Amino acid sequence: EDAAVTGDAGMPVDVPAQTVAMLLNSLAMGAGGVSAHGQPAKGIWEDGHSRETRVVDRVFDACTPVLLRMPSESFNAQSISTIMNAYASADRWHLALFRRLGSMAVAMPVSTLALQPVAMIVNAYSRLMQQDHVVSAWDVEESDILLFQGMAHTAASLAKDIRHPQPSSARSVALIVNALAKVGVTEKHVFGELSGLLLRAQRADAASHVSGSDGSGSDLRYDAQAVSNI
């Protein structure tokens, strides 16, 4: 706590981005935020424990300028998505930070990304775009549009190449299509590739069950929120 809340002097810029990401994510979830999949997190503090709430506020405030100054090479897809999800879950909307992290994500080669981080990034950013007190219609910049367009094409490319989806793929696809629809990115080929991924997985599951084979199915995991998002 002492290192995190003393400001810039207590949080060196050379601290690994993933370390900061894990710290912020733990605080956001512990304080009762909303997870990437839209489910309320189980808070460890009651509303009356204002001291802990103030600590969370101060940690986020201390981390923000550090993250803005960190060199881009300190970040990878996992740390970017975790940080953005933590800020969104904690209802903290720092526009400059989101835009910096988003621009780094768009610039990453597709080979360094995976479906789940892409889902977390577009979900968090779409929620930012819904905060009228932070981003009005007049505040939208080209970088915001490019983030969604870039991540949409990345998601389509990833989905096209996935032959053995992970169980979490259904939730990731649900988050992506929901986030893109919210901001008006409705390119047919993107939705086609994402739906194609789910259909291939369903066919693999069906074939596995019919043949009685073990391990060839995808065992996609759907929940009510994923179905609703799709």
Side-chain angles (χ1 to χ4, degrees), residues 16 82 94 111:
T82 303
H94 197 288
S111 59

Side-chain angles (χ1 to χ4, degrees), residues 72-73 75-78 80 101-115 117-118 121 150-151 153-155 157-158 161:
S72 58
E73 56 267 24
F75 297 86
N76 57 25
Q78 189 63 47
I80 289 174
L101 295 174
S103 65
M104 287 190 288
V106 170
M108 289 181 173
V110 175
S111 59
T112 65
L113 291 160
L115 211 56
V118 170
I121 289 168
M151 289 291 97
H153 288 282
T154 294
S157 178
L158 291 170
D161 293 337

